Amino acid sequence: MLNALKVWLDDMAPKVLPDSKLGDAVSYTRNQWEYLTRYTGDGCMPIDNNLLERDIRVFATGRKSWLFSDTVDGAKASAVVYSLMLTCRASRVEPLAWLRHVLTELPQRTGDVDIADLLPFNFHKAALPERPDIARY
């Protein structure tokens, strides 16, 4: 079906006015063809980017709020928190459970130790038998 669409677009391109709505649509689709069809080369790629768009929306709506941050460091801290919460969502980790775990573990570690195991996408791998109050998906 995509090949038939490409043939139709190539056939229509010289027949439509370039500044018309149809001309814009045909031109845009032809120019973005590689990106439009990229998912067909890898079965693991989604056909759309709705998940990414949903996650970016949080940043787009938060952008106006960040204008009221007292400092640049405060705005950066807000962005880090948003990023970590979205990483929890992407990793299917309940954010509050993850925060409890991290805020319990971090104070017990020295400043020079690797903390990659505390990142949200490693939370499922963490063994937490002593903490039954922490729910994992």
Side-chain angles (χ1 to χ4, degrees):
M1 289 187 75
L2 287 172
N3 290 335
L5 175 61
K6 179 73 166 110
V7 169
W8 182 83
L9 290 167
D10 291 340
D11 183 52
M12 288 300 293
K15 297 177 183 176
V16 296
L17 293 172
D19 291 334
S20 68
K21 295 222 183 245
L22 181 58
D24 286 342
V26 168
S27 176
Y28 178 81
T29 306
R30 291 178 73 219
N31 290 336
Q32 301 298 315
W33 190 255
E34 178 186 347
Y35 308 111
L36 173 67
T37 59
R38 184 169 287 157
Y39 75 94
T40 62
D42 182 353
C44 294
M45 292 181 72
I47 193 170
D48 61 38
N49 66 347
N50 290 341
L51 183 64
L52 178 65
E53 292 286 338
R54 184 192 73 197
D55 288 346
I56 290 174
R57 187 177 305 120
V58 174
F59 285 97
T61 56
R63 196 176 321 147
K64 288 185 180 179
S65 299
W66 296 339
L67 292 173
F68 299 101
S69 294
D70 289 341
T71 64
V72 172
D73 287 340
K76 286 180 182 177
S78 294
V80 168
V81 170
Y82 273 117
S83 180
L84 288 169
M85 294 302 102
L86 290 177
T87 303
C88 283
R89 181 192 295 173
S91 301
R92 296 183 176 200
V93 169
E94 199 274 310
L96 184 57
W98 174 78
L99 278 172
R100 282 186 186 134
H101 173 67
V102 169
L103 295 176
T104 301
E105 287 291 319
L106 264 179
Q108 300 174 24
R109 300 192 182 194
T110 60
D112 59 343
V113 70
D114 182 26
I115 58 170
D117 63 307
L118 296 178
L119 293 171
F121 44 81
N122 291 327
F123 185 62
H124 289 296
K125 300 171 191 171
L128 301 172
E130 72 281 358
R131 296 296 312 268
D133 59 315
I134 296 179
R136 288 188 279 179
Y137 290 81

